[in-house]
Amino acid sequence: MEIYNKPRTTFRSEGFIAMMIIAWTRLFHAYFNVTIGDKYYYKKKNGRYDTVDGERKAWELSTCIKKYGNHW
């Protein structure tokens, strides 16, 4: 919230929006971890996980909403 509340900070709205997207994505991942387990990671056609910097690549917010947005 510091980014949004500082009067002299540039790009306040953009920073706030980015943080809200990150927060919603984390919320979806926590929900998926409890309900469906580790199925919210991208997989390649050969069955291996897609990785970024050595870690499994998780779904973005848009993919989370498309796949399970109707279950809420």
Side-chain angles (χ1 to χ4, degrees):
M1 296 312 308
E2 182 179 349
I3 290 173
Y4 189 74
N5 289 330
K6 279 189 175 181
R8 296 188 191 267
T9 304
T10 57
F11 305 111
R12 291 186 311 168
S13 297
E14 292 86 350
F16 181 76
I17 291 168
M19 287 190 194
M20 291 308 299
I21 290 171
I22 291 169
W24 274 103
T25 304
R26 295 283 183 150
L27 179 66
F28 268 112
H29 289 173
Y31 174 75
F32 293 152
N33 197 23
V34 170
T35 58
I36 64 172
D38 276 352
K39 297 179 183 177
Y40 59 93
Y41 294 104
Y42 287 108
K43 282 192 174 183
K44 297 179 183 179
K45 293 185 181 198
N46 63 6
R48 301 186 81 176
Y49 287 109
D50 193 9
T51 59
V52 175
D53 295 332
E55 294 188 17
R56 294 182 288 182
K57 182 178 178 183
W59 294 345
E60 291 91 5
L61 181 58
S62 61
T63 307
C64 292
I65 293 170
K66 285 178 190 172
K67 299 250 184 190
Y68 288 94
N70 296 335
H71 293 188
W72 293 68

